[in-house]
Amino acid sequence: MSLERETMGVMPPISVGSGPLDPRSQLIQEMRDQNFDLIRFASYRTACKLRFVQKKCNLHAIDIWNVIEAFRENALNTLEPTACVNVTRLETLVSSLYHNLNKRLPPANQVSVEACSALLLNWLLSAFSTGENVGKIRVFSIKVALATMCAGKLMDKLRYIFSQLSDGNGHLLMKRLSDYLREVLALPAAVYESPSFSYNDNLAMAIFNQNVKITVNDFLDTLMSDPGPPCLVWLPLLHRLASVENVVHPLACSVCRRGSLTGFRYRCTRCAAYTLCQDCFWRGHVSPPHSNDHEVKEYATYKSPSKQIGATLRKSFRCVPERARPALPRYPDQPERTLNLSHIVPPSPVPAHNGFPEYTGYNTGSLDSRSSRSTHRSIAEHLSRGVDDEHRLIARYAARLAHENRTMPRAGRSASLTPELGRSSSEGSEVDAARQQRELISQLEAKNREIMREIARLRRQQEAEASSGNAPPLVSELRALRQRKDELEGHLSSLQESRKHLMHQLEGLMRMLKGVPGRGPQRSADTLAGGEGAGRHDPQSGCHGEYGS
């Protein structure tokens, strides 16, 4: 491997005063103490600095799938890539990453959510919150930064990145590729390596031909090739650094004489048995007869001399050439079709039967005051519509009972005209049943009026809150929205319990009506038929029945 000296990016000194440093300044100071600026090669220097940031923020314990799940939990996948989120929303996302991490770690290895969130939040703001959007970060910037800095396989990361850069047909969009390069090169700039890896408008065309349709396999082949695009040579090196941190080579460095080398090992192709550790090679430390102009070979693993001899003998006795390096796995060029979930019923906190409509929940994708108020209004309107349906059903039953109350005395008078029946004890029981019906109807109507007044009061209160000009702070408004939602759900539960009680009473009353003498089951069935019996001539009572609807 032949490496040439590249431009060095030196971190500026941090002036330490009497007060404590902010998390980002403290991170930069600790990075300066590692002497990464002494590394001769910009790609290794950038990878080492980003690896240091990754481990300090504990992002090396969070893989790409955890990051994608956090995006979905915080509804970032529903926002446009160009949309900006504020610091509160970003802090919620970062905190959820570390809370979910602690759920997977044993208690002894859990991280400090507050410290890690503050450190990562400050570093992201310093890298991407510039210009007119101070205090805000674009959604696409967050996705690129976290997907690059987290752990996981490079192929999985690039596949996720391609899903953000491609159209519906699975082809790369050059404009989005330029946006990606601008955002991903902000990471080296955040560790003061912008002189070596800077963005320009011609980078996308230098990597891919804009006149050719680029699929996911073409994207992976180009970015994971060796060597890859010059502006992104630090990206695969960052993953290689993570894979060799615990690799031990039982050899001694020819310069510093340190044994049991950790990390990369370098061997000169011109000097016999000349081995360098990664620190001596990166910083240019040599000893005669070796010089920095000699070509060296990098090793990420160690094989004992016996294994090396055996492998050499096997190669020499083979009659067929050695198999080539396995190619990258191939993926479908066309993206997978999304599932049609329109027929799937979403979960509901209240049952959809007994007149209640389906409850679709509320959108937590945006925490700004405008969407919070609109979400609050939609919840109240949706719940009030369900309550209105309930009370229309109760009013319909009450109207039917009132009609029964009006028709029952007429039936009694027509029956008293027949000399065979006369006055019997059945009239007394029928009058008592009619009186009970009137009392129950009056109770139902009073309860209905009370509930309707409560609904009107809730609507007026909701409209007053929505029309108020002075909006409370974001966190207070979100807390008030959640509290209001709990109150509405509690009130709706109480109304549902009241309705169940009233339905039990109505069922008992209808059974009582079926058992009244002189009124057969056929008459009760006609009564329950609703509007079908409107205006029908009743041969028993000699009058026309009118059924409420």
Side-chain angles (χ1 to χ4, degrees):
M1 180 181 67
S2 178
L3 297 173
E4 297 181 357
R5 186 177 180 87
E6 304 177 47
T7 307
M8 296 185 63
V10 181
M11 291 179 289
I14 303 296
S15 59
V16 181
S18 58
L21 295 176
D22 60 276
R24 177 180 171 273
S25 300
Q26 185 177 357
L27 176 66
I28 298 300
Q29 181 64 35
E30 293 178 0
M31 191 185 305
R32 291 183 69 252
D33 295 339
Q34 300 294 322
N35 293 325
F36 292 132
D37 291 330
L38 298 179
I39 299 177
R40 298 180 297 158
F41 309 105
S43 56
Y44 284 89
R45 189 169 59 246
T46 303
C48 289
K49 290 179 180 180
L50 291 178
R51 178 62 178 171
F52 180 80
V53 175
Q54 185 186 50
K55 296 180 70 174
K56 290 296 292 185
C57 296
N58 284 294
L59 289 176
H60 66 291
I62 303 173
D63 62 14
I64 181 62
W65 308 112
N66 303 136
V67 172
I68 296 174
E69 186 63 26
F71 291 159
R72 293 175 179 173
E73 288 179 358
N74 293 271
L76 259 68
N77 58 326
T78 62
L79 300 179
E80 292 294 330
T82 57
C84 294
V85 298
N86 53 21
V87 178
T88 304
R89 183 77 176 274
L90 180 60
E91 185 178 6
T92 303
L93 169 66
V94 172
S95 299
S96 65
L97 279 174
Y98 293 111
H99 280 298
N100 293 332
L101 174 62
N102 282 339
K103 293 178 182 178
R104 301 187 299 270
L105 295 177
N109 298 332
Q110 291 186 356
V111 302
S112 174
V113 176
E114 293 78 8
C116 293
S117 300
L119 182 59
L120 180 58
L121 184 63
N122 279 271
W123 191 72
L124 291 176
L125 288 174
S126 64
F128 297 100
S129 181
T130 57
E132 299 178 355
N133 296 326
V134 177
K136 294 183 179 180
I137 300 182
R138 291 200 311 164
V139 172
F140 187 66
S141 304
I142 301 173
K143 291 182 177 180
V144 170
L146 293 181
T148 305
M149 294 297 295
C150 69
K153 296 181 180 180
L154 179 59
M155 182 179 299
D156 295 334
K157 294 183 180 183
L158 294 179
R159 286 179 60 198
Y160 171 73
I161 293 297
F162 185 82
S163 67
Q164 306 296 313
L165 308 181
S166 58
D167 56 10
N169 298 322
H171 296 148
L172 180 67
L173 298 176
M174 296 301 293
K175 184 179 182 304
R176 294 187 183 178
L177 177 62
S178 298
D179 292 340
Y180 166 70
L181 293 175
R182 182 187 299 109
E183 300 299 338
V184 76
L185 290 179
L187 299 177
V191 291
Y192 305 100
E193 292 296 334
S194 56
S196 302
F197 303 103
S198 58
Y199 171 80
N200 60 73
D201 296 334
N202 298 324
L203 281 180
M205 275 75 77
I207 300 175
F208 295 104
N209 186 358
Q210 60 181 350
N211 298 324
V212 179
K213 294 181 178 180
I214 307 300
T215 63
V216 59
N217 296 307
D218 302 329
F219 185 77
L220 294 176
D221 290 341
T222 302
L223 267 67
M224 297 190 68
S225 60
D226 188 16
C231 62
L232 297 177
V233 291
W234 53 269
L235 183 56
L237 187 55
L238 174 63
H239 293 77
R240 288 165 55 198
L241 279 176
S243 63
V244 301
E245 280 186 345
N246 297 323
V247 175
V248 178
H249 307 269
L251 297 173
C253 177
S254 301
V255 178
C256 63
R257 304 299 177 182
R258 183 176 57 186
S260 298
L261 309 181
T262 303
F264 288 116
R265 174 174 57 92
Y266 299 90
R267 184 176 64 84
C268 181
T269 59
R270 296 170 58 179
C271 302
Y274 195 90
T275 302
L276 291 171
C277 64
Q278 65 179 16
D279 293 335
C280 292
F281 176 73
W282 289 351
R283 289 163 174 79
H285 300 163
V286 295
S287 62
H290 180 73
S291 67
N292 290 327
D293 297 332
H294 292 183
E295 185 178 353
V296 297
K297 187 175 181 180
E298 183 181 87
Y299 292 89
T301 58
Y302 174 76
K303 289 184 180 180
S304 62
S306 60
K307 290 184 178 180
Q308 293 180 5
I309 295 175
T312 304
L313 291 176
R314 283 193 299 270
K315 289 180 182 179
S316 62
F317 285 109
R318 279 177 183 167
C319 298
V320 294
E322 185 181 1
R323 288 182 301 176
R325 180 182 178 184
L328 297 176
R330 311 303 292 177
Y331 298 97
D333 292 338
Q334 296 294 329
E336 298 180 359
R337 295 182 179 179
T338 57
L339 297 177
N340 183 14
L341 304 179
S342 59
H343 62 284
I344 298 180
V345 180
S348 173
V350 293
H353 56 277
N354 295 334
F356 283 94
E358 294 292 342
Y359 179 75
T360 59
Y362 60 94
N363 179 23
T364 59
S366 178
L367 295 181
D368 57 352
S369 58
R370 183 180 305 174
S371 62
S372 300
R373 288 195 295 269
S374 61
T375 303
H376 197 177
R377 287 196 299 272
S378 63
I379 295 173
E381 292 174 0
H382 204 92
L383 296 179
S384 62
R385 283 198 301 270
V387 177
D388 290 343
D389 294 340
E390 283 292 303
H391 291 291
R392 279 196 294 270
L393 181 63
I394 295 175
R396 188 159 54 247
Y397 276 112
R400 291 178 183 177
L401 292 177
H403 172 71
E404 290 294 324
N405 186 27
R406 291 193 300 270
T407 58
M408 188 175 294
R410 296 177 184 178
R413 287 195 299 271
S414 62
S416 63
L417 295 177
T418 58
E420 293 82 9
L421 296 178
R423 295 184 178 275
S424 62
S425 60
S426 61
E427 293 183 357
S429 61
E430 192 170 338
V431 172
D432 293 338
R435 185 170 57 253
Q436 293 178 0
Q437 291 178 16
R438 287 193 295 272
E439 292 177 355
L440 181 58
I441 289 171
S442 61
Q443 293 176 3
L444 289 174
E445 291 178 349
K447 184 67 175 177
N448 193 19
R449 287 192 298 269
E450 180 182 354
I451 295 176
M452 294 302 294
R453 285 194 299 268
E454 179 66 18
I455 292 175
R457 185 186 67 81
L458 292 175
R459 285 179 177 174
R460 290 193 300 270
Q461 182 178 356
Q462 182 62 31
E463 292 175 357
E465 292 179 358
S467 61
S468 60
N470 297 326
L474 186 60
V475 178
S476 301
E477 186 172 355
L478 180 60
R479 189 180 299 109
L481 175 62
R482 291 174 178 171
Q483 182 178 1
R484 186 61 182 163
K485 171 182 171 292
D486 296 337
E487 293 177 358
L488 289 175
E489 290 182 351
H491 185 67
L492 186 60
S493 300
S494 62
L495 292 180
Q496 184 182 4
E497 294 296 330
S498 175
R499 180 199 172 279
K500 289 181 180 179
H501 181 67
L502 293 177
M503 291 299 295
H504 286 308
Q505 293 183 354
L506 287 174
E507 291 176 359
L509 183 57
M510 297 305 293
R511 288 195 297 268
M512 184 190 305
L513 290 176
K514 290 181 181 180
V516 174
R519 303 181 61 84
Q522 181 64 35
R523 176 61 180 167
S524 300
D526 293 339
T527 303
L528 293 175
E532 296 180 359
R536 182 183 300 171
H537 182 71
D538 192 348
Q540 296 182 1
S541 60
C543 62
H544 292 282
E546 296 179 357
Y547 291 85
S549 56

